[in-house]
């Protein structure tokens, strides 16, 4: 029978009907008349209402929980007393089913279980980061809405209830026995890892339809939690992929030390498995292995759990049944000028050639591996050295500002350099020294041509064309194949291309999944594998950690063999178990520049970039990795800095809608980069693009369009879509990047060619994609020409600001008038952000048109070695 409270008011809220009851009180559906919304009301147990100290403690806990504002945690609005002195709590009303109700139908399909588990883990991770532990996580405390959104109930409350219970009844256990952690069952000290155990019990039940621990009595259940292992998933749910079994086993480790160090890592593992579920398969042949692991864990729990932790750390490796990567034995810098890049190791292992601008001119330098001595070899304007097979000669690219590259060669011992041919972007010697493979960039961004010539530059012939840009040709040891990598303009789609050196036929290798760019490749001596590094963040432009990948070209299987604290553009083998790459510094901070003042907005070791002003100029939205994940943050004029998004996937490249009430950005939370929209605080996030590969750079028009760029080869170019995801329209059909819409919504400026030597900005009409006959060339004089950031419109839509270099080769922001169909190059003028110590790589312009915020990257390049990699492969 429903409580009488259902027919009355609870505090200022009108109760409608009872929703449930339990140990923590009765729950009612109620209506908030003032705000016109339905809410849930929980009447708390009488002993809380009678004790002001307990109620105050609960209020503090609830206040902490409510500050999370996470989409997977039910929001708490208020805790108080009504006129009858009943303690109540008002919270978000969730219209749906509890997970317990869902589980009454038995085990869930693996994909659905992953969808639910990922959201639970994401909510847990956000709360644990704030120091909040649930303590009573169970299916009854997890709600599922009709559209599949998961909501965790009672977060932050169980701790207060536990404290109250122990204060009133010493030794009393608070929680639900089947979902308690061993340390909780012993009434010991608990932390966030206790929630991980409870989560593991829930996930086990979702996958099997049975509880992991379910004794005939409460006492027997507690003994099982402390002492026994649940039936192996491989035996009771053999359809569950091995990576997911390992995650469950790790969460259910008896010792908290053997669970996840961070719940965010748990959430990431689940999200990656969810997003790549089709790759996981149903590997049933390892039941015996699982059973053995269970027996081992009973005898040696720490060792077994550590083994599971190592295996689960790399899901891709696990799926292809490869051993977990060995720990990298050492990493060290080889050069220290901060201006060194593009390494090449001589075949005899005695020399490293590299490009450096350490003395103001970009030259080819030589480094003796034995004693570390360094000497300049070329005159200037040079990059991308490659050794001849006998280590006597170096090929390199010489490029004058604004012109195509030239291929030159110079003896290692010094002497006169000789030009071999014009119009070359990158090149490499064949292993026998008789041929040169080289790339020529077509007149459009969409294509690179692969050519082959004799070693002296004669008899050049076109071997193949690509439908995407590519660079860094590398000959296989037997001379039958040439490997190229696609550039980093489209991050998710970057790949390795293998060309037949005789007929030009091509094979595309399946490189590890997103997000970041990959380096150049190098062949192993047996010709069976390619080695490269892949950045672990889409922000690889300014530095990122990276995976070291060994790719078997016979089976097209990539194996992660280690990790690096740095990514790089160019990589080479330094010797057995060693590689060298050009590492980039990750530090990027925001600085606001006004007419009379200048101030740092952020200052630290994080990468804070892509600033965007709100329409009123009071808020600045930006991308940052300061949390350990790539998220959106904002700062206000009063100095408050706050995180906006908190998803395990990467969120970046934000913009405001013209009314300032919503934000749009590019996110990988759907499995690939898509355009998302949300309220200013990050709530009510939803996907609005359906690109399927890589959608980036959104901006909004006043009449309700979101304009963005697609790197999907099937529909590359600029698109517009309504805020509800409808009316997707392809307006510029070309390989473009970095679009930005004018404030009046009429035009879109975009990068029409991202090749450093001839990068340019063009403008199209948003309504129909018509080209406006405007071209803004980006000047480049030094290495920093590689920074090709997003342009920004001036607030009156009559000028375009963009990144370029001044005559001293310093990157900063220029502005040029915009008049459709007219050459306005005479109006080009510097706007700001020119700093010799920090290269401006992204920026935002305030609505007053007089203030800008620049992201200044400490653009340091150094040669960096990774040693101790397991590079020897069995035949």
């Amino acid at each position: 029978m429903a409580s009488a409270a259902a027919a009355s008011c609870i505090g200022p809220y009108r109760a409608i009907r009872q929703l449930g009851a339990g140990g923590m009180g009765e729950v009612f559906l109620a209506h908030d008349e003032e705000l016109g919304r339905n809410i849930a009301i929980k009447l708390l147990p009488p002993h809380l209402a009678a004790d002001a100290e307990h109620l105050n403690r609960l209020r503090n806990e609830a206040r902490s929980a409510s500050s999370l504002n996470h989409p997977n945690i039910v929001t708490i609005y208020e805790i108080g007393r009504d006129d009858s002195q009943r303690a109540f709590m008002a919270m978000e009303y969730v219209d749906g089913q509890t997970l317990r109700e869902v589980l009454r139908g038995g085990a869930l399909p693996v994909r659905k279980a992953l969808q639910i588990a990922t959201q639970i883990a994401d909510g847990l991770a956000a709360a644990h980061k704030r120091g909040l532990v649930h303590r009573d996580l169970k299916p009854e405390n997890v709600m599922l809405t009709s559209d599949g959104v998961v909501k965790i109930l009672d977060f932050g409350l169980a701790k207060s209830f536990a404290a109250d219970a122990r204060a009133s009844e010493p030794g009393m256990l608070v929680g639900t026995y089947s979902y308690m952690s061993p340390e909780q069952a012993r009434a010991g000290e608990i932390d966030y890892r206790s929630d991980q155990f409870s989560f593991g019990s829930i996930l086990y039940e979702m996958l099997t339809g049975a509880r992991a621990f379910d004794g005939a009595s409460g006492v027997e259940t507690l003994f099982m939690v402390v002492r026994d292992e649940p039936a192996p998933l491989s035996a009771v749910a053999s359809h569950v992929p091995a990576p997911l079994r390992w995650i469950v086993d790790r969460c259910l480790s008896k010792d908290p030390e053997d669970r996840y160090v961070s719940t965010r890592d748990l959430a990431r593992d689940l999200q990656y498995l969810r997003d790549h579920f089709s790759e996981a398969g149903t590997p049933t042949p390892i039941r015996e292995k699982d059973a053995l692991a269970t027996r081992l864990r009973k005898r040696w729990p720490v060792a077994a759990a550590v083994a599971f932790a190592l295996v689960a750390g790399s899901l891709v490796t696990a799926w292809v049944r490869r051993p977990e990567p060995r720990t990298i034995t050492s990493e060290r810098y080889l050069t220290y000028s901060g201006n060194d890049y593009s390494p090449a190791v001589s075949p005899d292992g005695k020399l490293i050639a590299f490009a450096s601008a350490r003395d103001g001119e970009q030259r080819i330098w030589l480094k003796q591996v034995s004693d570390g001595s360094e000497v300049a070899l070329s005159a200037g304007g040079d990059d991308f050295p490659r050794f001849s097979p006998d280590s006597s000669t170096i090929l390199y690219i010489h490029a004058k500002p604004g012109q195509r590259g030239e291929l030159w060669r110079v003896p290692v011992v010094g002497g006169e350099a000789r030009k071999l041919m014009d119009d070359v972007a990158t090149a490499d010697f064949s292993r026998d020294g008789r041929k040169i493979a080289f790339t020529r960039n077509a007149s459009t961004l969409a294509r690179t041509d692969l050519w082959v010539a004799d070693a002296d530059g004669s008899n050049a012939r076109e071997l193949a064309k690509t439908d995407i840009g590519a660079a860094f040709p590398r000959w296989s040891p037997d001379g039958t194949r040439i490997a190229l990598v696609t550039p980093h303009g489209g991050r998710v789609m970057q790949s390795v291309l293998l060309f037949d050196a005789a007929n030009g036929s091509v094979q595309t290798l399946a490189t590890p999944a997103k997000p970041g760019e990959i380096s150049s490749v190098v062949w192993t001596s047996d010709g069976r594998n390619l080695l490269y590094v892949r950045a672990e963040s889409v922000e690889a432009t300014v530095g990122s950690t990276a995976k070291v990948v060994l790719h078997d070209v016979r089976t097209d299987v990539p194996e992660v063999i280690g990790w690096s604290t740095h990514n790089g553009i160019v990589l080479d083998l330094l010797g057995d178990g060693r590689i060298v790459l050009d590492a980039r510094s990750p530090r990027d901070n925001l600085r606001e520049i006004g007419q009379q003042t200048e101030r740092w907005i952020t200052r630290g070791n994080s990468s804070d970039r892509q600033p965007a002003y709100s329409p009123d100029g009071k808020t600045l939205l930006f991308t940052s990795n300061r949390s350990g994940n790539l998220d959106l943050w904002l700062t206000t004029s009063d100095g408050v800095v706050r995180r906006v998004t908190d998803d395990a996937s990467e969120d970046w490249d934000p913009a405001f809608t013209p009314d300032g009430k919503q934000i749009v950005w590019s996110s990988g939370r759907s499995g690939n980069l898509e355009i998302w929209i949300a309220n200013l605080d990050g709530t009510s996030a939803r996907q609005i693009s359906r690109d399927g590969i890589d959608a980036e750079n959104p901006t909004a028009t006043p009449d309700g369009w979101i304009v963005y760029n697609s790197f999907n080869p099937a529909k590359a170019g600029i698109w517009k879509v309504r805020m509800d995801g409808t009316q997707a329209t392809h307006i510029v059909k070309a390989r473009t990047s970095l679009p930005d819409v004018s404030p009046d919504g009429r035009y879109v400026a975009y990068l029409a060619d991202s090749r450093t030597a001839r990068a340019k900005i063009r403008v199209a009409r948003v309504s129909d994609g018509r080209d406006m006959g405007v071209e803004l060339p980006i000047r480049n004089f030094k290495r920093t020409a590689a920074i090709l950031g997003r342009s920004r419109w001036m607030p009156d839509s009559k000028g375009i600001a963009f990144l370029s270099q001044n005559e001293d080769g310093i990157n900063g922001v220029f502005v040029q008038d915009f008049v459709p169909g007219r050459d306005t190059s005479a109006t080009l003028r510097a706007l700001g952000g020119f700093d010799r110590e920090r290269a401006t790589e992204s920026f935002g312009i305030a609505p007053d048109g007089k203030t800008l915020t620049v992201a200044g990257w400490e653009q340091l390049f150094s040669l960096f070695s990774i040693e101790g990699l397991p590079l020897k492969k069995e035949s």
Side-chain angles (χ1 to χ4, degrees), residues 181 183-184 190-199 259:
S181 64
E183 58 270 29
Q184 194 175 8
I190 67 172
D191 59 18
Y192 65 93
R193 293 169 296 184
S194 178
D195 281 350
Q196 291 181 10
F197 190 95
S198 302
F199 171 82
R259 298 171 205 151

Side-chain angles (χ1 to χ4, degrees), residues 4 246 505 590 672 709 808 831:
W246 292 328
S505 61
L590 300 177
N672 60 275
N709 196 82
D808 296 325
L831 193 59

